[in-house]
Structures are given as C-alpha cells and as structure tokens.
Amino acid sequence: MSYEHLARFYDRLMPDEFYEQWLELFLKEKNRWYPRAKKILDLACGTGEIAVRLAKLGLEVTGIDLSEPMLAIAEQKARMADIGISLFVQDMRCLEGLGPFDIAVCCCDSLNYLETEKDVSRTFASVHAALSAGGLFLFDVHSIEKMAGFIGKQYADNDDEISYIWTCYPGEAPHSVEHELTFFISRGPSGLYERWDEIHRQRTFPVETYIRLLEQAGFEVSGMTGDFTDRPPGKDTERIFFCARKRRQ
C-alpha cells in the first residue's frame, strides 16, 4: 500500500497519544530485554512519527516504507528536528542491504497490510535476517474481534481544507477488511474541491498463527499484551502487541 494521497494528511488521523503509548511500550521492552540496544529498524515507518521519537532518544534509526510520499514527510520531520534518520524505499517482505539491528519495530497495525500467511512468513524471515543474535522484534496487529468490528462502519470528518469519508467492507479472505477512503481537498479560494479515492486492504490472523510463523522464522515469543496494558490479550482486546526475540545460536 503506497498511501499515495493519504500521506499528505495521515498525521491528522493519528493522535499523538497513540505514538507516545507505543514509545512507552518500546522503552519498557527495550529496558527489559536489550537495554544496550542502539540500532533500530522501523518497518513501514510512514511519516516518521515513531522514528523521530526514537532518534530523539539518541538511538540510531533506519526507517523503511513502500511509500515515497510518506518517506518525504518523514525526511522533512527529521530535518526540522535536526536529527539524522536513514530512510529507504523498501518492502519489509524482502529487506536488502540493511542491518544488523538490535531492535526492529512495526507499529500502527502495519503488519495487517500483509494479506497472506506467506507474506507474513516472508516478513518474519526478512526481519530475522536483519537482526543481530538476541535482537528484538516488536509489532502490533488488530485482533480478530477488532477486524470484525470494522465491518459496516463508516467514519467522516469535515473542515475547510480536508474532508473525508471512510467506509469499511468485508474482505474476501477470513478476518479481512477493505477500507474505502474518499478525500475532498480544497483547491483554495476558488471554493472547489479535488476528490481522491483510495482502497486499503487489511487482514489479521489468529494469535496461534503469528506465534507459529515467528517460531518457524527463528524467533521465540517473549511476551504478548493487549491494548497498551501489561495484561495478556483477552476476548475484548482490540490491538495485540508481540515481543519476539531472535534465538541465539
């Protein structure tokens, strides 16, 4: 998913609180398992909100994403913050020429854009190869219950500059959803608006599937929590967080 048009105002849809919670979770797991970690890989880094926050902590951050428009915004943020972040257009299913890293993160349910078990497996293997021995892989996914809850929902917002309609439909695969987004962008004093449409497809899998694929890739699952708490996922959990470690040889 390239986020061709959404990149311009993606940050308006994501609250700062979410990123701060992710940062808190990252620091907790880092301090628990790998306190000396320095080199961080941010998968599907988007507009760089997490990457910039990590770099401000003095960490060496590399971000990858498929969307050039997203990376352009991330680069601008890093420049404005006067920090150095390495940014590359890459596919997390087949990372090339990067690493080794101490920790890899994949935030904001980005892993749910992988629509097949094969793609999830390829990503886990790719991340495993990019990590040093004992390295951490932290990511979050939508729960099956959360994905089901999207179906039939519609969201909308309206202001003078940007308006959007976001409608959710069931996908073809189990536990999947299609997000149909329509944006209306002001063209200035003319009073005219330009319409853009995008479709985003997401899919999730049972927890047991993620665990199996992680173990097959050479990880061991150190922990799973739900909804930014210390509690394990339950039947009402919407977002599941995984902490996996690359096995030492």
Side-chain angles (χ1 to χ4, degrees):
M1 173 54 60
S2 65
Y3 284 89
E4 181 180 357
H5 302 305
L6 184 58
R8 291 177 54 186
F9 47 95
Y10 178 82
D11 288 337
R12 297 178 59 165
L13 304 179
M14 295 293 291
D16 281 344
E17 178 186 3
F18 180 86
Y19 295 118
E20 289 301 318
Q21 288 177 308
W22 233 109
L23 185 65
E24 182 179 346
L25 182 146
F26 167 87
L27 291 173
K28 179 179 67 177
E29 299 296 351
K30 174 183 179 294
N31 292 335
R32 177 182 298 173
W33 301 107
Y34 206 153
R36 292 178 293 179
K38 188 71 174 179
K39 299 185 66 175
I40 314 298
L41 173 63
D42 188 358
L43 302 161
C45 67
T47 63
E49 281 294 320
I50 291 291
V52 168
R53 284 169 165 80
L54 293 174
K56 285 181 177 179
L57 296 175
L59 300 171
E60 299 175 19
V61 183
T62 296
I64 67 106
D65 202 285
L66 280 175
S67 171
E68 291 188 39
M70 285 284 208
L71 290 176
I73 294 172
E75 183 177 14
Q76 182 181 32
K77 288 180 181 178
R79 188 166 55 249
M80 291 178 63
D82 194 25
I83 54 177
I85 297 176
S86 300
L87 299 169
F88 300 96
V89 178
Q90 285 209 25
D91 188 329
M92 59 184 169
R93 294 170 294 186
C94 50
L95 299 170
E96 297 180 353
L98 300 176
F101 297 97
D102 301 320
I103 301 177
V105 300
C106 189
C107 311
C108 306
D109 52 85
S110 295
L111 204 76
N112 288 133
Y113 281 94
L114 303 174
E115 298 182 66
T116 67
E117 277 195 33
K118 181 179 180 180
D119 281 341
V120 176
S121 179
R122 288 176 62 198
T123 297
F124 288 172
S126 182
V127 173
H128 183 274
L131 286 173
S132 57
L136 297 183
F137 182 24
L138 309 177
F139 65 92
D140 69 86
V141 293
H142 287 313
S143 68
I144 289 176
E145 290 75 18
K146 173 66 173 180
M147 200 67 81
F150 275 123
I151 305 303
K153 293 288 183 65
Q154 187 174 74
Y155 310 90
D157 195 14
N158 178 39
D159 65 30
D160 292 338
E161 183 183 1
I162 299 171
S163 301
Y164 71 87
I165 301 171
W166 172 4
T167 308
C168 305
Y169 300 99
E172 294 182 2
H175 316 309
S176 66
V177 63
E178 291 191 1
H179 304 281
E180 184 179 277
L181 297 102
T182 300
F183 309 107
F184 301 92
I185 313 299
S186 173
R187 298 182 64 178
S190 67
L192 299 177
Y193 283 77
E194 184 176 1
R195 173 175 170 166
W196 292 336
D197 296 281
E198 289 187 3
I199 294 179
H200 294 237
R201 296 180 177 87
Q202 287 189 307
R203 183 183 182 187
T204 200
F205 296 90
V207 166
E208 294 77 15
T209 299
Y210 287 115
I211 293 174
R212 171 172 56 82
L213 296 178
L214 283 167
E215 291 178 343
Q216 288 176 355
F219 288 101
E220 55 186 12
V221 178
S222 298
M224 289 186 299
T225 57
D227 296 331
F228 292 110
T229 70
D230 291 325
R231 299 188 299 272
K235 64 178 182 178
D236 296 324
T237 298
E238 295 189 346
R239 189 178 296 272
I240 302 170
F241 296 84
F242 286 80
C243 176
R245 300 179 71 192
K246 179 174 179 175
R247 296 193 189 100
R248 297 182 183 274
Q249 299 298 324

